[in-house]
Amino acid sequence: MLDLLVHASQCRFSHCQYLNCCKVNGLIRHGIQCKIRSSGGCVLCKKMWYLLQLHARACKQSECHVPRCRFRFERTSTGESNSQQRAAVMEMMRQRAAEVASSSG
Protein backbone atom coordinates (compact mmCIF):
# COMPACT_ATOMS: atom_id res chain seq x y z
CA MET A 1 0.00 0.00 0.00
CA LEU A 2 2.85 2.40 0.77
CA ASP A 3 4.34 1.72 -2.67
CA LEU A 4 1.01 2.72 -4.17
CA LEU A 5 1.04 5.93 -2.12
CA VAL A 6 4.49 6.80 -3.51
CA HIS A 7 3.33 6.02 -7.04
CA ALA A 8 0.08 7.98 -6.75
CA SER A 9 1.91 11.00 -5.38
CA GLN A 10 3.86 11.21 -8.64
CA CYS A 11 1.35 9.84 -11.16
CA ARG A 12 -0.03 12.27 -13.74
CA PHE A 13 -2.21 9.84 -15.70
CA SER A 14 -5.98 9.82 -15.37
CA HIS A 15 -6.17 6.16 -16.46
CA CYS A 16 -3.20 4.66 -14.67
CA GLN A 17 -2.16 1.00 -14.88
CA TYR A 18 -2.01 0.73 -11.08
CA LEU A 19 -5.37 -0.63 -10.01
CA ASN A 20 -5.96 1.71 -7.05
CA CYS A 21 -3.95 4.75 -8.12
CA CYS A 22 -7.11 6.73 -8.84
CA LYS A 23 -8.52 5.80 -5.42
CA VAL A 24 -5.42 7.08 -3.61
CA ASN A 25 -5.46 10.27 -5.66
CA GLY A 26 -9.14 10.58 -4.74
CA LEU A 27 -8.21 10.32 -1.05
CA ILE A 28 -5.66 13.11 -1.55
CA ARG A 29 -8.27 15.29 -3.24
CA HIS A 30 -10.79 14.47 -0.51
CA GLY A 31 -8.31 15.58 2.15
CA ILE A 32 -8.03 18.95 0.44
CA GLN A 33 -11.76 19.54 0.11
CA CYS A 34 -13.10 17.94 3.30
CA LYS A 35 -14.70 20.33 5.78
CA ILE A 36 -14.87 17.80 8.63
CA ARG A 37 -11.17 16.80 8.61
CA SER A 38 -9.52 14.06 10.60
CA SER A 39 -9.85 15.96 13.86
CA GLY A 40 -13.59 16.26 13.27
CA GLY A 41 -14.02 12.53 12.77
CA CYS A 42 -13.81 12.06 8.98
CA VAL A 43 -12.90 8.41 8.40
CA LEU A 44 -11.37 9.03 4.96
CA CYS A 45 -9.14 11.81 6.28
CA LYS A 46 -8.04 9.60 9.17
CA LYS A 47 -7.08 6.84 6.74
CA MET A 48 -5.09 9.23 4.59
CA TRP A 49 -3.22 10.77 7.51
CA TYR A 50 -2.46 7.29 8.83
CA LEU A 51 -0.95 6.26 5.47
CA LEU A 52 1.05 9.47 5.25
CA GLN A 53 2.42 8.97 8.76
CA LEU A 54 3.36 5.34 8.07
CA HIS A 55 5.18 6.37 4.93
CA ALA A 56 7.02 9.26 6.58
CA ARG A 57 8.30 6.99 9.35
CA ALA A 58 9.73 4.48 6.88
CA CYS A 59 10.93 6.80 4.11
CA LYS A 60 14.67 7.41 3.75
CA GLN A 61 14.51 9.68 0.70
CA SER A 62 15.44 13.31 1.12
CA GLU A 63 13.52 14.27 -2.05
CA CYS A 64 10.27 12.37 -1.54
CA HIS A 65 7.12 13.48 -3.40
CA VAL A 66 4.62 12.02 -0.95
CA PRO A 67 2.67 14.78 0.83
CA ARG A 68 3.89 15.51 4.35
CA CYS A 69 6.93 13.25 3.99
CA ARG A 70 9.43 15.92 3.01
CA PHE A 71 8.27 18.11 5.88
CA ARG A 72 9.63 15.50 8.26
CA PHE A 73 13.11 16.48 7.05
CA GLU A 74 12.46 20.22 6.86
CA ARG A 75 10.86 20.39 10.31
CA THR A 76 14.15 19.71 12.09
CA SER A 77 16.03 22.39 10.18
CA THR A 78 13.40 25.14 10.04
CA GLY A 79 11.65 24.69 13.38
CA GLU A 80 8.21 25.26 11.87
CA SER A 81 5.24 24.89 14.16
CA ASN A 82 2.69 22.14 13.58
CA SER A 83 0.10 24.61 12.29
CA GLN A 84 2.61 26.05 9.79
CA GLN A 85 3.53 22.55 8.65
CA ARG A 86 -0.12 21.59 8.30
CA ALA A 87 -0.84 24.71 6.22
CA ALA A 88 2.15 23.98 4.00
CA VAL A 89 1.05 20.36 3.52
CA MET A 90 -2.49 21.42 2.65
CA GLU A 91 -1.17 23.92 0.09
CA MET A 92 1.02 21.24 -1.48
CA MET A 93 -1.95 18.85 -1.60
CA ARG A 94 -4.14 21.54 -3.22
CA GLN A 95 -1.50 22.06 -5.90
CA ARG A 96 -1.22 18.32 -6.48
CA ALA A 97 -5.01 17.96 -6.82
CA ALA A 98 -5.08 20.84 -9.30
CA GLU A 99 -2.36 19.13 -11.37
CA VAL A 100 -4.28 15.84 -11.37
CA ALA A 101 -7.55 17.58 -12.26
CA SER A 102 -5.98 19.47 -15.17
CA SER A 103 -4.28 16.35 -16.56
CA SER A 104 -7.48 14.26 -16.43
CA GLY A 105 -9.71 16.80 -18.11
Side-chain angles (χ1 to χ4, degrees):
M1 185 64 167
L2 294 180
D3 290 337
L4 178 60
L5 179 63
V6 172
H7 168 81
S9 298
Q10 299 175 47
C11 186
R12 302 289 185 250
F13 301 108
S14 58
H15 299 290
C16 180
Q17 67 182 9
Y18 274 78
L19 183 61
N20 292 314
C21 180
C22 290
K23 288 182 182 181
V24 173
N25 276 322
L27 275 176
I28 292 171
R29 281 192 304 274
H30 170 83
I32 293 165
Q33 299 169 349
C34 183
K35 303 293 184 220
I36 300 171
R37 306 274 184 215
S38 179
S39 59
C42 177
V43 175
L44 291 177
C45 289
K46 285 182 181 185
K47 286 180 183 180
M48 191 64 201
W49 280 110
Y50 178 72
L51 286 175
L52 293 174
Q53 288 172 351
L54 281 179
H55 169 80
R57 288 182 195 145
C59 184
K60 304 291 185 223
Q61 298 178 22
S62 60
E63 292 293 323
C64 184
H65 296 284
V66 174
R68 189 170 167 90
C69 183
R70 71 179 193 169
F71 293 101
R72 173 175 60 104
F73 293 99
E74 292 176 0
R75 178 178 55 233
T76 56
S77 62
T78 63
E80 289 182 0
S81 71
N82 284 341
S83 61
Q84 289 171 321
Q85 288 177 27
R86 191 172 295 113
V89 168
M90 292 310 295
E91 179 58 30
M92 186 173 75
M93 290 175 71
R94 277 188 199 91
Q95 291 172 357
R96 172 73 178 105
E99 289 173 5
V100 169
S102 66
S103 69
S104 64

